[in-house]
Amino acid sequence: MKIAFHGAARTVTGSKHLITLKNNTQILLDCGLFQGMGHVTDKLNGFFGFDPKKITYLVLSHAHIDHCGLLPRLVAEGFDGKIFCTAATMDLARILMMDSAKIQMQDAEFSNRHLKPGQEKEEPLYTDEDVTKAVGLMKIVDYEEDFEIQPDIRLKFTDAGHILGSAAVHLTITEDGKSTRITFSGDVGRYGDLLLKSPQQFSQADYILMESTYGDSLHKDLEPIEDMLYEVINNTCKVKKGKVIIPAFSVGRTQELLYALNSMELKHKLPDVQYYVDSPLSSKATEILKNHPEVYNNGVKEILKIDHDIFAFKGLRFIESVEESKALNADPRPCVIISSSGMAEAGRVKHHIRNNISNSKNTILMVGYCEPSSLGGRLIAGQKVVEIFNDEYDVKAEVKSIKSMSAHGDYEDLLQFLSGQEPEKVKQMFLVHGEYDVQQNFATRLKEHGFKHVAIPEYHQEFELE
């Protein structure tokens, strides 16, 4: 049995991990888009490093686009096997992949309108038809169901607490009469998340593919999230009469923000200004989350007894059309705009940042992980001049960050996730989904906790499993 790492290897996006059995059965764990990698992003997304036609099965940990976003491309290139995921992941992946296809098609159309003589016509990575085909291959597996993929391969999902539907993947593969247990963490959430249940413990594994996004960080903020939101919104909108622009992923982060703002209203602490969610995708994702109350933690269930809509409050408006979105930039009144994407690399939020970044009255509030070379990453790093749509802009707006809103667990959360394991029984830990320097620090920490065999795979590197 072999495993190869074709994405999220010494970087945080593009999740693709390929298990190949002796009988040539191939199981692909996730199939995500690379994001925020600068000029090499397109090249990375155009090359799998394996033959899609030879993949037998795909197991999807969750619906974030850096985990599911190349599924339609995989299908377009010949994959026609089953895709196993949770029910909520299927619901979310459908809308996220459709949105991604729309962007791919629009970008290709725009580029082709501006072709120079001799330039090749650009093709989208995939189309909405490819998305429809991919969704048609999805097979729902419930959390904690002992599911037989085929007689020698069993699958179990446990709740990873990261976003709606997110799961850690546990495979038991039997070869030559010997069973091997492989766990892929997916993305691990926080213990004590605002909305979701905490990550579940899982049974002993022989091999673990472990995410490490925040493997050297602690999210301990000095103040609760609601207090920090109040301070930023009040100071910006009420004192300076400016705008707060919040880049936030459509799935997970946006709903957490709405829940926190709703909670502030229930406590009579919400500043009286207009709040806009400028992302049609966020609106759809919020409705899907409402349809899956089984994922909520006990605290949220208690709030639901007194408030039937935990994502609505006075002054909130969802923006749908492009015209309405553009009108926000022409409106001088103080407001809060929540818009995707979370790394500020694409979507409507990039336009809002461009229009507001050079005014000192305004605040750009980052609320999660940003790949260092992304626009969000450069703002967090304190760059005074940034390039947006090929033009340079002076950063005069205040840039703030709430790290505790990350949907990724910090190193204490990751260690707690692993706490049910007997380290000496883990033959090999593979660190994925992290920047290399962070992974090196996390590897040292893991070894101190008894995990003696920790590898940090390179892009396309392959390992033999005993």
Side-chain angles (χ1 to χ4, degrees), residues 163-227:
I163 61 166
L164 172 65
S166 63
V169 175
H170 312 284
L171 293 168
T172 303
I173 300 170
T174 304
E175 280 189 326
D176 301 330
K178 177 189 170 191
S179 290
T180 300
R181 299 160 296 182
I182 301 172
T183 285
F184 169 40
S185 69
D187 284 349
V188 180
R190 309 282 309 279
Y191 289 82
D193 183 82
L194 277 179
L195 288 170
L196 304 178
K197 295 175 183 174
S198 292
Q200 284 180 267
Q201 292 280 295
F202 58 97
S203 56
Q204 184 66 44
D206 299 308
Y207 296 93
I208 300 176
L209 284 66
M210 185 70 202
E211 77 111 324
S212 51
T213 310
Y214 280 115
D216 66 351
S217 300
L218 285 176
H219 296 327
K220 308 295 185 202
D221 275 312
L222 295 175
E223 299 176 84
I225 289 165
E226 290 174 23
D227 291 350

Side-chain angles (χ1 to χ4, degrees), residues 125-346:
L125 275 170
Y126 49 84
T127 66
D128 47 8
E129 288 182 13
D130 299 321
V131 173
T132 301
K133 288 177 188 172
V135 174
L137 296 173
M138 289 183 169
K139 161 81 177 166
I140 291 170
V141 177
D142 293 330
Y143 286 121
E144 298 195 78
E145 178 183 355
D146 185 11
F147 183 82
E148 184 180 270
I149 292 178
Q150 63 182 45
D152 55 346
I153 304 171
R154 305 194 75 84
L155 165 67
K156 182 182 278 190
F157 286 132
T158 54
D159 196 335
H162 174 61
I163 61 166
L164 172 65
S166 63
V169 175
H170 312 284
L171 293 168
T172 303
I173 300 170
T174 304
E175 280 189 326
D176 301 330
K178 177 189 170 191
S179 290
T180 300
R181 299 160 296 182
I182 301 172
T183 285
F184 169 40
S185 69
D187 284 349
V188 180
R190 309 282 309 279
Y191 289 82
D193 183 82
L194 277 179
L195 288 170
L196 304 178
K197 295 175 183 174
S198 292
Q200 284 180 267
Q201 292 280 295
F202 58 97
S203 56
Q204 184 66 44
D206 299 308
Y207 296 93
I208 300 176
L209 284 66
M210 185 70 202
E211 77 111 324
S212 51
T213 310
Y214 280 115
D216 66 351
S217 300
L218 285 176
H219 296 327
K220 308 295 185 202
D221 275 312
L222 295 175
E223 299 176 84
I225 289 165
E226 290 174 23
D227 291 350
M228 299 179 77
L229 283 171
Y230 175 83
E231 182 186 329
V232 170
I233 295 168
N234 190 64
N235 186 53
T236 304
C237 298
K238 292 295 192 179
V239 178
K240 296 195 292 182
K241 308 297 183 188
K243 295 179 179 179
V244 179
I245 312 297
I246 309 179
F249 292 111
S250 301
V251 175
R253 198 62 35 76
T254 292
Q255 290 76 35
E256 283 190 6
L257 283 165
L258 295 179
Y259 179 71
L261 293 166
N262 176 69
S263 180
M264 289 163 68
E265 182 184 56
L266 292 176
K267 297 170 185 171
H268 308 290
K269 286 172 50 183
L270 186 69
D272 184 17
V273 295
Q274 286 297 122
Y275 297 83
Y276 299 101
V277 175
D278 187 16
S279 164
L281 189 60
S282 294
S283 179
K284 292 175 186 173
T286 302
E287 287 305 311
I288 288 174
L289 185 52
K290 289 179 185 178
N291 292 334
H292 286 278
E294 71 276 5
V295 303
Y296 297 148
N297 61 39
N298 290 333
V300 175
K301 289 174 182 174
E302 287 300 311
I303 296 292
L304 278 167
K305 292 177 182 177
I306 59 168
D307 185 0
H308 74 283
D309 191 342
I310 56 174
F311 303 116
F313 48 88
K314 183 184 174 186
L316 175 64
R317 185 172 153 211
F318 285 86
I319 299 294
E320 293 293 332
S321 72
V322 173
E323 291 72 29
E324 288 178 295
S325 178
K326 289 179 178 176
L328 291 180
N329 289 317
D331 189 337
R333 290 175 294 181
C335 66
V336 176
I337 300 172
I338 302 167
S339 186
S340 60
S341 70
M343 295 192 198
E345 270 296 283

